[in-house]
Amino acid sequence: MSAVIAPPGNSPSPRPTPANGRGGKTLNPKYWPLAATVSLFVLMATLGSVLYDGFFSAQVFFNLLIDNAFLIIVAVGMTFVILSGGIDLSVGSVIALTTMVSATLVEKHGWSPWVVIPLVLLMGTAFGAFMGVLIERFRLQPFIVTLAGMFLARGLCYLISIDSISITNPFYEAVSQVRIPVWGDASLSISAVIAIVVVLVAIFVAHCTPFGRAVYAIGGSEHSAMLMGLPVRSTLVGVYTLSGFCSALAGVVFTFYMLSGYGLHAVGLELDAIAAVVIGGTLLTGGVGYVAGTLFGVLMLGIIQTLISFDGTLSSWWTRIVVGALLFAFCLLQRFFTSRAPRR
């Protein structure tokens, strides 16, 4: 029985099959939530520019950074925690504790801001590291540990004072009023500049350092990360330490913004931070997400509030309604991503 041999010039050669079956390239599903966030932000900005006079101006968009600088900073720390597969519910209480300690030391004890600010940053960092050690060393659930941290920090605020403490120190007042010219009549506050620097540093840490790569690996599979020889234990402690530092830094920025310390400051801010991270495209299961997406998630919350303010006829509670709807939509999008990713 003779074999049939095809002519040399007509021999078939294997060709890669395109993902979409039409010879083109499609966007990787892991980028879909981020692309949806950026696209929706651009759509809302365009809609506001068409509907309202004065909306399309540089200062309006810079105000999104100025008014949400503290939320951007705390959401950056939350991004690393969620990327590792954890959660941190203590961030709002740490902000409040930072404002109370700062106000008490500066106003009642006459301490210099140059001593108080490093002290509260160290305090927040140590608080986050303590929770990280409990989570890693005793294998406790992050939800329970950080919930306890939330109650502890908030209780310490009321132990210091049940009343609001105004800050009249010239340094804090000067920092709160400084504006840095950017373009034309538009300007940024020092708090907004700090937030931008934090985002840029966080992007570098997440994508260009061994620590950032270890965070992604742990969020994908902690067991696999251990088999790969990655420093899982120190990285887990590190993400909560970083979150504590970001919370304390956000507290310093919040002090500049409010010029007061109060135990009720930043109530529920941890939920806003989580919402911004999820809307920004970070999976709650960990392993997938982007710091830049978190920035757009915060800006999304800010532009919703701005649109409602420009409208003037809607209640501010519509912000929560829209954010809730967006969270539902992005959770469904994440579910769709997780179901599509294995097949791709």
Side-chain angles (χ1 to χ4, degrees):
M1 185 173 181
S2 59
V4 178
I5 302 176
N10 297 328
S11 59
S13 59
R15 294 181 180 178
T17 302
N20 59 0
R22 296 187 301 271
K25 293 183 178 180
T26 58
L27 185 66
N28 192 314
K30 71 179 182 179
Y31 298 117
W32 289 353
L34 176 61
T37 301
V38 176
S39 301
L40 189 57
F41 176 79
V42 173
L43 177 63
M44 286 188 172
T46 304
L47 181 65
S49 302
V50 172
L51 294 179
Y52 307 114
D53 294 333
F55 189 93
F56 188 73
S57 66
Q59 191 58 56
V60 169
F61 292 97
F62 286 155
N63 285 342
L64 297 178
L65 295 172
I66 294 172
D67 295 336
N68 297 284
F70 55 90
L71 181 56
I72 292 173
I73 296 171
V74 77
V76 166
M78 185 71 74
T79 302
F80 281 88
V81 173
I82 294 179
L83 280 175
S84 69
I87 199 75
D88 189 353
L89 300 179
S90 68
V91 293
S93 299
V94 173
I95 290 176
L97 181 60
T98 300
T99 65
M100 286 297 293
V101 173
S102 299
T104 301
L105 294 180
V106 169
E107 292 297 318
K108 295 187 176 181
H109 300 281
W111 286 33
S112 169
W114 298 103
V115 177
V116 172
I117 292 176
L119 179 63
V120 294
L121 290 177
L122 181 61
M123 177 192 69
T125 303
F127 192 81
F130 173 69
M131 292 189 298
V133 169
L134 291 179
I135 292 169
E136 190 283 321
R137 179 65 180 83
F138 299 101
R139 312 307 297 175
L140 301 176
Q141 288 295 325
F143 182 90
I144 298 300
V145 174
T146 57
L147 181 66
M150 179 183 73
F151 290 142
L152 175 61
R154 191 71 69 176
L156 290 174
C157 292
Y158 295 111
L159 190 61
I160 296 173
S161 175
I162 61 174
D163 299 319
S164 176
I165 303 175
S166 299
I167 297 178
T168 59
N169 186 279
F171 174 80
Y172 283 89
E173 293 181 346
V175 171
S176 66
Q177 296 173 5
V178 169
R179 290 294 181 268
I180 302 172
V182 179
W183 180 66
D185 295 332
S187 61
L188 285 173
S189 66
I190 291 180
S191 298
V193 173
I194 294 174
I196 294 172
V197 171
V198 168
V199 170
L200 294 177
V201 172
I203 291 174
F204 174 80
V205 171
H207 300 288
C208 302
T209 65
F211 175 78
R213 290 189 288 269
V215 171
Y216 278 97
I218 293 171
S221 173
E222 182 177 340
H223 181 67
S224 297
M226 293 181 65
L227 294 178
M228 293 168 60
L230 296 176
V232 174
R233 301 180 64 179
S234 60
T235 302
L236 285 176
V237 176
V239 293
Y240 290 97
T241 303
L242 178 61
S243 180
F245 171 79
C246 289
S247 300
L249 181 59
V252 172
V253 169
F254 197 80
T255 306
F256 294 146
Y257 188 75
M258 298 297 293
L259 290 178
S260 66
Y262 190 30
L264 289 177
H265 278 335
V267 171
L269 188 69
E270 57 277 350
L271 303 181
D272 291 333
I274 295 172
V277 173
V278 173
I279 292 174
T282 299
L283 292 182
L284 280 173
T285 53
V288 176
Y290 309 93
V291 176
T294 297
L295 172 63
F296 277 98
V298 175
L299 295 180
M300 182 73 69
L301 303 184
I303 202 168
I304 292 171
Q305 294 174 343
T306 304
L307 286 171
I308 291 174
S309 299
F310 268 82
D311 182 89
T313 61
L314 297 175
S315 168
S316 60
W317 289 108
W318 274 100
T319 302
R320 298 296 180 183
I321 297 173
V322 175
V323 170
L326 285 177
L327 279 175
F328 277 126
F330 276 89
C331 285
L332 290 175
L333 184 60
Q334 289 185 1
R335 179 62 178 173
F336 181 67
F337 155 66
T338 54
S339 64
R340 285 291 302 273
R343 292 200 298 268
R344 296 180 67 89

